[in-house]
Amino acid sequence: MAASSDRNPPPFPTAEESEPGLCDMADADSDEGEDIFVSNSNPVSVSRGVSQPDRVSEEPSDLFSEEAASSTAAKANGVHSDDDNDLFADANVELSTDKSSSSARKEPSGPRHASTFTPSPAAMQPTSLEQLEEEEAKDSFDVDVAVTNPEKIGDGMNAYVAYKVSTRTSLPMFRSKVFSVRRRFSDFLGLYEKLSVKQSLHGCIIPPPPEKSVVGMTKVKVGMDDPSSVEFVERRRAALERYLQRVVSHPSLLQDPDVREFLEREDLPRAVNTQALSGAGFLKMINKASDAVNKMTIKMNESDTWFEDKFQEVENEEQQLRKLHVVVDSLVIHRKELCGNTAVFAKSLAMLGNSEDNTALSRALSQLAEVEDKMEQLHQEQAASDFFIFAELLGDYIRLLGAVRGCFDQRMRAWQRWQEAQSTLQKKREAEAKLLWANKPDKLQQAKEEITEWEARVTQYERDFDRIGMTVRKEVLRFEKEKAKDFKSQIIKYLEAMLQSQQRLIKFWEAFLPEAKAIA
Amino acid sequence: MLQVDISDALSERDKVKFTVHTKSTLPNFKQNEFSVVRQHEEFIWLHDSFVENEEYAGYIIPPAPPRPDFDASREKLQKLGEGEGSMTKEEFTKMKQELEAEYLAIFKKTVAMHEVFLCRVAAHPVLRKDLNFHVFLEYNQDLSVRGKNKKEKLEDFFKNVVKSADGVLVAGVKDVDDFFEHEKTFLLEYHNRVKDASAKSDRMIRSHKNAADDINRIASSLYTLGTQDSTDLCKFFLKVSELFEKTRKIEARIAADEDLKLADLLKYYLRESQAAKDLLYRRSRALVDYENANKALDKARAKNRDVLQAETSQQLCCHKFEKISESAKQELIDFKTRRVAAFRKNLVELAELELKHAKGNLQLLQGCLGILKGNT
């Protein structure tokens, strides 16, 4: 299939119409599915590709194939080309037949960035890379999820917060098109637990849930009204929403029955296995697993340096993001301090204005106090922006990079299993040879059976290892694309908020200047 | 004509040497234009000589400039030197430049404050004629005014304690004169509120500087992320890093301008309103002396003893009180005029600078967003 020509999509009228809606903040109280999905605080955000009747009518089986989860709520000109060029320069991916059901080609009809998509012809291997390219280019987001309406259930130390999880989808695998359930935080953790142990998902980058917080929750249990509790709940709600959106935008995870159950089932059995994620949190768990891998005595002989290089990159990036996160946190704190100090100063200035016995100066000072008051408001909003847009983005990706490291570790363990099986096979063969020489026919039979068994295992484990390797490669490429989109869209949002702040600031001072000049 | 300015200043170890430059057509001076080098202690000596001079009791004595304080800045530079090993060369150079800029800003401020003091004296119709002032301006040798020793500092302390106690006593006495009664009430309240506003403006500006510092570190961090590779995302990071670098320079300038135009203004009027209060206290004390002299005269007349002495004393007190009252009235009116003018100038300049910086920021953001959105 030729690439470029297929990339030009028909213009998507629905896309344009729903754009303005994206600018509204989620109306948390509305029960209508529509409103809930229009939230612009989501990094991995709502797609506009919801109602795409044309595509749904196509072969259903293909819908559940690797639909690339291109999931930006970006404006019409999304992220594209250069990224994809890099993508293909690196990738020597051969999609194995294990996922052949999904390799049945879907006619591309992804909107937006696909139109400017120009893959580099150079490094491409015809079939497999085209498949990859197609899947990456699809804007095939047929599921939207939202997390809203945090509600405190119960009282005292047994109280918890229940969230409304709403889904809107056109996929036939769900029972209905629009539905919602109530879930609590431990349910989300439970989902992660279930997904992370599935053999079939090994190699996949499973999005990590937000961290537990004893302190935060205790405050909420006591009362949900004070500002720090409100902020905590909002922070958690937003984080849970992003978590779910990442899960459903992952093609393999979306197919998982546990994910479906989470979204659909009225009453979910209480998750009890969340101990692994208690206290220390997700990253500590990953790091423990990493250490185990590092202690492996058999060092892997990497035939393909891609994995080593990538792993190093991931580690470096995680480190850098951590540093950045620390500074952004500091900025949030200082901005909040500035906010408080400005408010206090404004009041003081107002008092001074009252004392001043020159009328014009008195009025000017009062006006200045008002300007400072408005600045406090601006600082408040800026601090929120710093936190909810920037800091949380960094936090998410630090955890996600940990998950990426986790995949690499899984691959290592698969290799180890294979190697160990090979060495066991070797021992069995040696044993057989010994038996042959010692001439013990009955034991010989058993030995031969064991050899056959282990030969099969070796083959299986080798296949597993290769499969995981391919999955990891694919996942990493997908992840990098997502990450680039995410960062770009979030940082742009952040800068736009800053821009609006400056515009308002200008208005304030322009209003004040004549007052100052009027002093006589 | 008498024009004074500080044409140069040198920072040496723990002292600052100011070059005081005078231009004058007054006959008192040997030349029309000349310069001398003075240190902070000599300014204080001059100020104190005014305060101690009974003749000047009826004037608002221009407040002494605060001691140049580079301790904090020096400490930071030292810490930076110690931490040199733990940061990259770029980070170190950047921080050094910032600290040097900070040092320079403090330096400029202290020069300005010493200069303002001298200008105020030169502008005052009576003080400008003071002999000590002329010596200060002209005598090109060290004035040998050592800093006060411990004993003298203690004496000062007790003098101030007595003054405040006096102040409390005297503030209670309602003044017959409406003008002074109003001024007393006004100044007491005003001084307290200016003090409060000054402290709070300092805290606000410090937070602002802290935030600007954070933005600086964010810029550095983004730069490091951007240089890891040459992907699109990395180029994006580099562009954003560049933006933050520029934006935080503006934020730092905003904090510095707010410091100069608002915080320093409030600090100055804190000191001047104190000087005005001191004037009122001196007047009140003179009034108390006058009233006491009256009582003594009545007693003397009643006993018919030392009447002449009592009369002379009473006349002296009366004269002193009236002299102070007369000049005080004018001084306080002038104070108001100066205050209003200074606030006007500084508030206008503050607003104009805030606007300039906000517009600068806006332009940067618009430009950067245009590029970032265009590329994506």
Side-chain angles (χ1 to χ4, degrees), chain A residues 505-518:
Chain A
L505 200 59
I506 289 174
K507 283 209 182 71
F508 299 157
W509 287 106
E510 275 176 348
F512 175 72
L513 189 54
E515 286 292 335
K517 289 190 170 157

Side-chain angles (χ1 to χ4, degrees), chain A residues 237-253:
Chain A
R237 182 209 65 78
L240 289 172
E241 193 172 76
R242 294 194 302 273
Y243 164 62
L244 270 190
Q245 284 169 337
R246 290 197 174 106
V247 168
V248 300
S249 69
H250 191 300
S252 310
L253 294 181

Side-chain angles (χ1 to χ4, degrees), chain B residues 88-307:
Chain B
T88 68
K89 190 153 182 283
E90 289 96 25
E91 280 177 348
F92 178 75
T93 319
K94 222 190 198 186
M95 285 209 69
K96 186 153 172 280
Q97 277 174 349
E98 267 163 55
L99 283 178
E100 283 171 353
E102 202 180 289
Y103 193 91
L104 189 65
I106 299 176
F107 189 71
K108 280 193 183 151
K109 255 210 234 184
T110 192
V111 167
M113 291 197 267
H114 284 74
E115 190 176 80
V116 159
F117 170 70
L118 293 178
C119 293
R120 278 270 279 122
V121 175
H124 195 284
V126 175
L127 293 176
R128 75 210 302 245
K129 300 187 197 140
D130 183 84
L131 196 60
N132 283 335
F133 184 47
H134 292 179
V135 168
F136 178 94
L137 290 176
E138 204 179 17
Y139 185 62
N140 58 10
Q141 308 261 338
D142 196 346
L143 289 174
S144 294
V145 289
R146 54 180 176 53
K148 295 187 173 167
N149 63 26
K150 217 187 229 173
K151 178 160 169 280
E152 284 164 343
K153 283 198 182 137
L154 251 155
E155 282 172 3
D156 268 355
F157 174 71
F158 281 117
K159 254 195 238 159
N160 281 329
V161 168
V162 169
K163 189 157 68 169
S164 332
D166 260 3
V168 168
L169 186 76
V170 150
V173 174
K174 188 167 188 332
D175 210 307
V176 177
D177 188 329
D178 278 342
F179 174 82
F180 285 104
E181 186 56 32
H182 167 83
E183 285 300 305
K184 189 165 60 182
T185 321
F186 165 72
L187 273 174
L188 280 172
E189 192 185 64
Y190 187 81
H191 176 81
N192 286 337
R193 291 187 177 178
V194 141
K195 194 174 189 178
D196 191 52
S198 172
K200 287 170 183 165
S201 77
D202 279 345
R203 244 175 276 157
M204 178 182 80
I205 290 167
R206 199 161 36 235
S207 295
H208 209 143
K209 286 203 183 113
N210 286 340
D213 283 341
D214 286 331
I215 296 177
N216 195 16
R217 286 154 67 202
I218 290 176
S220 296
S221 205
L222 280 172
Y223 181 79
T224 312
L225 270 167
T227 51
Q228 296 293 322
D229 207 338
S230 54
T231 61
D232 227 29
L233 183 59
C234 285
K235 291 196 199 113
F236 186 90
F237 282 150
L238 285 175
K239 197 92 202 58
V240 177
S241 163
E242 196 187 310
L243 170 72
F244 280 159
E245 188 57 58
K246 294 192 185 135
T247 236
R248 78 102 201 151
K249 283 206 175 87
I250 295 185
E251 292 298 322
R253 270 250 57 91
I254 294 176
D257 286 340
E258 284 177 349
D259 200 18
L260 270 172
K261 303 295 171 190
L262 198 50
D264 279 354
L265 174 72
L266 291 170
K267 275 197 203 83
Y268 186 78
Y269 279 93
L270 173 61
R271 295 201 298 276
E272 265 239 38
S273 58
Q274 180 62 49
K277 271 183 9 179
D278 291 345
L279 170 59
L280 281 182
Y281 293 156
R282 288 196 293 271
R283 178 179 169 275
S284 296
R285 240 200 335 271
L287 178 58
V288 167
D289 288 345
Y290 178 33
E291 284 171 353
N292 288 342
N294 271 335
K295 287 190 197 136
L297 181 57
D298 287 342
K299 232 197 217 172
R301 281 187 178 146
K303 290 187 186 163
N304 207 5
R305 249 175 62 181
D306 299 319
V307 174

Side-chain angles (χ1 to χ4, degrees), chain A residues 351-406:
Chain A
M351 296 284 275
L352 184 64
N354 279 346
S355 302
E356 177 56 63
D357 56 1
N358 175 296
T359 336
L361 179 54
S362 172
R363 190 173 54 236
L365 286 171
S366 303
Q367 300 281 35
L368 185 61
E370 268 178 47
V371 170
E372 294 292 336
D373 234 348
K374 290 185 191 139
M375 304 247 285
E376 185 233 336
Q377 182 73 353
L378 275 185
H379 292 314
Q380 181 94 287
E381 288 166 21
Q382 186 67 58
S385 173
D386 292 340
F387 182 70
F388 282 105
I389 302 179
F390 205 1
E392 288 286 86
L393 171 73
L394 294 172
D396 280 357
Y397 273 91
I398 289 170
R399 278 198 302 280
L400 275 164
L401 285 172
V404 174
R405 275 193 291 126

